[in-house]
Amino acid sequence: MVNRMQFYIDGAWVDPAVKKSTAVVNPATEEAMYEVALGSKADVDKAVAAAKRAFATFSQTSREERVALLTKVIEIYKGRLKEIGAAVSDEMGAPLPMAEKLQAGAGLGHLMTTLDVLKNYHFEEPVGTAMVLREPIGVVGMITPWNWPLNQIACKVAPALAAGCTMILKPSEFTPTSALIFAEILHEAGVPKGVFNLVNGLGPEVGAAMSEHPDIDMISFTGSTRAGIDVAKRAAPTVKRVSQELGGKSPNVILEGADLTKAVTGGVMHMFNNSGQSCNAPSRMIVPLSKMKEVAAIAKAVADKTKAGDPRGEGTTIGPVVNRGQWDKIQALIKKGIDEGATLVAGGPGLPEGVNKGFYVRPTIFADVTPEMTIAREEIFGPVLTILGAKNEADAVQIANDTPYGLAGYVSGATVEDAKRVGRQIRAGNVNLQGVPNDRTAPFGGYKQSGNGREWGKYGLEDFLEVKAVAGFNAA
């Protein structure tokens, strides 16, 4: 039985300093499933003190010790994959097969990639007469979201453990169970007391206390740009490192000569994956103006086959969005798209046909969208695709970069060379060419208001390391 009413601090399950809880609601049924404890500054202080004590010894462990620890974590995680998938499905609405394979699977993927990086990483590098040492940054505060809960937890915790850091995790209050299972996995694997701590709670209370804490050396935050700005402001007085992966409004540029059916179909399916609740979702499809009607017809055919329904139901393509607040926001933006004159190709306001409860959104496509429309500028974070027309390649690049965000970009062309040429011009941290998915060994992160710092692979490990130059180390 997962323990939702206690926190994991200093190697033990402990009661909150103040008894307070919130209901966790199943977005498919709108019914409360159980309560989860909410923490306070006092709980954060306790967890930070434990992490600070543990850092003195854990930071001195050898590569071999940390390799053995991550190997054990991976072994235990594999045995709980289905349980993690079921928890994610129930709490944020992902279809069960997708939650098991992609949501829970992403966490395992990051653990395994980090283990490979750790085995071969050079923590010491001679530079002239100096030796450059890469050392753990210290105590890390981690704040993670609900949309890909295990992906975000694992791609922070795994490299922090590999680096020799200690940490406090505040997962989303909407998806607490998978994080609590993860804490159980680390405990069973023998992670030393105080190295990993978990405090559930709300951003304005627990998140704020972590961001401001003088004994936390780094904050690793994933979430909205609005919340990220608040974290950075609170962290500034203590000059701690702040690494952030924030919002996105990613362009999907389809060039003249590209295989339209393949590129549009793939783009729409990617957009609707996870009910559109991915920060790197290809939410702005930019196509040759002359092909707008043809593209809209292909996109509509995909939307018509996309079934929003029970996450555990047969044939469900997408589940609900996470909560009532998100549903209301998405509905308002769909209405805004209609009001501002975009052409509604598929979907629209309200619940999908045959659905009378749950936070389900109709798979929605707008064509003839112009760059100044609200739906072309704001992150919707739901299954809503906007299609914009470009006069030529230069115009497509200009539209692609006309956004305060810069997390991802997608390009399809007649040839890989065409896609490369445009991909180089897109101002984003991740660009995918010709439908090729991300590589976990390559860096993930954003330009502009999509954040700073990088996650995944060796780049994720380096986010948790300080660089020390020791002059005279190599002097003759």
Side-chain angles (χ1 to χ4, degrees), residues 156-198:
K156 296 181 192 303
V157 173
L161 286 174
C165 294
T166 59
M167 65 214 77
I168 301 95
L169 169 68
K170 187 205 91 65
S172 169
E173 65 275 17
F174 298 114
T175 54
T177 301
S178 55
L180 292 165
I181 294 170
F182 193 75
E184 292 177 352
I185 290 167
L186 297 188
H187 181 81
E188 189 181 339
V191 171
K193 285 171 59 174
V195 169
F196 173 84
N197 305 274
L198 183 151

Side-chain angles (χ1 to χ4, degrees), residues 53-72:
R53 278 196 309 273
F55 182 73
T57 48
F58 190 67
S59 61
Q60 301 305 306
T61 53
S62 68
R63 181 201 309 266
E64 291 69 30
E65 287 173 292
R66 299 200 294 270
V67 163
L69 188 59
L70 274 173
T71 302
K72 187 68 176 169

Side-chain angles (χ1 to χ4, degrees), residues 331-385:
Q331 295 301 314
L333 284 164
I334 291 172
K335 186 175 184 304
K336 194 88 168 166
I338 294 167
D339 291 347
E340 291 184 0
T343 302
L344 184 64
V345 172
L351 292 169
E353 203 174 320
V355 174
N356 57 14
K357 65 177 176 181
F359 307 126
Y360 293 95
V361 175
R362 297 172 70 193
T364 297
I365 294 171
F366 284 103
D368 305 308
V369 176
T370 56
E372 70 279 358
M373 288 182 182
T374 306
I375 56 171
R377 306 209 67 79
E378 286 193 23
E379 185 177 35
I380 299 172
F381 227 61
V384 181
L385 174 68

Side-chain angles (χ1 to χ4, degrees), residues 6-17:
Q6 291 185 310
F7 305 138
Y8 185 73
I9 298 175
D10 208 13
W13 292 96
V14 299
D15 291 331

Side-chain angles (χ1 to χ4, degrees), residues 241-262:
R241 182 182 298 175
V242 179
S243 181
Q244 300 184 317
E245 195 260 280
L246 307 174
K249 192 70 179 173
S250 301
N252 181 7
V253 179
I254 300 176
L255 299 169
E256 198 75 57
D259 182 333
L260 265 193
T261 302
K262 182 182 175 187

Side-chain angles (χ1 to χ4, degrees), residues 290-427:
S290 61
K291 301 277 179 30
M292 179 65 72
K293 281 191 174 152
E294 191 180 344
V295 167
I298 297 166
K300 182 181 188 314
V302 179
D304 289 345
K305 288 180 192 160
T306 302
K307 185 186 172 191
D310 181 355
R312 297 195 179 219
E314 194 70 39
T316 293
T317 313
I318 59 172
V321 296
V322 71
N323 57 38
R324 170 66 65 188
Q326 287 295 121
W327 192 88
D328 287 343
K329 176 195 163 194
I330 295 162
Q331 295 301 314
L333 284 164
I334 291 172
K335 186 175 184 304
K336 194 88 168 166
I338 294 167
D339 291 347
E340 291 184 0
T343 302
L344 184 64
V345 172
L351 292 169
E353 203 174 320
V355 174
N356 57 14
K357 65 177 176 181
F359 307 126
Y360 293 95
V361 175
R362 297 172 70 193
T364 297
I365 294 171
F366 284 103
D368 305 308
V369 176
T370 56
E372 70 279 358
M373 288 182 182
T374 306
I375 56 171
R377 306 209 67 79
E378 286 193 23
E379 185 177 35
I380 299 172
F381 227 61
V384 181
L385 174 68
T386 59
I387 307 175
L388 300 93
K391 295 190 286 286
N392 51 42
E393 187 178 294
D395 191 33
V397 171
Q398 194 278 324
I399 293 168
N401 290 331
D402 180 20
T403 172
Y405 296 110
L407 185 57
Y410 304 81
V411 187
S412 296
T415 66
V416 175
E417 290 308 313
D418 286 344
K420 281 183 190 174
R421 183 180 63 250
V422 171
R424 285 180 181 275
Q425 299 174 69
I426 290 179
R427 299 273 299 157

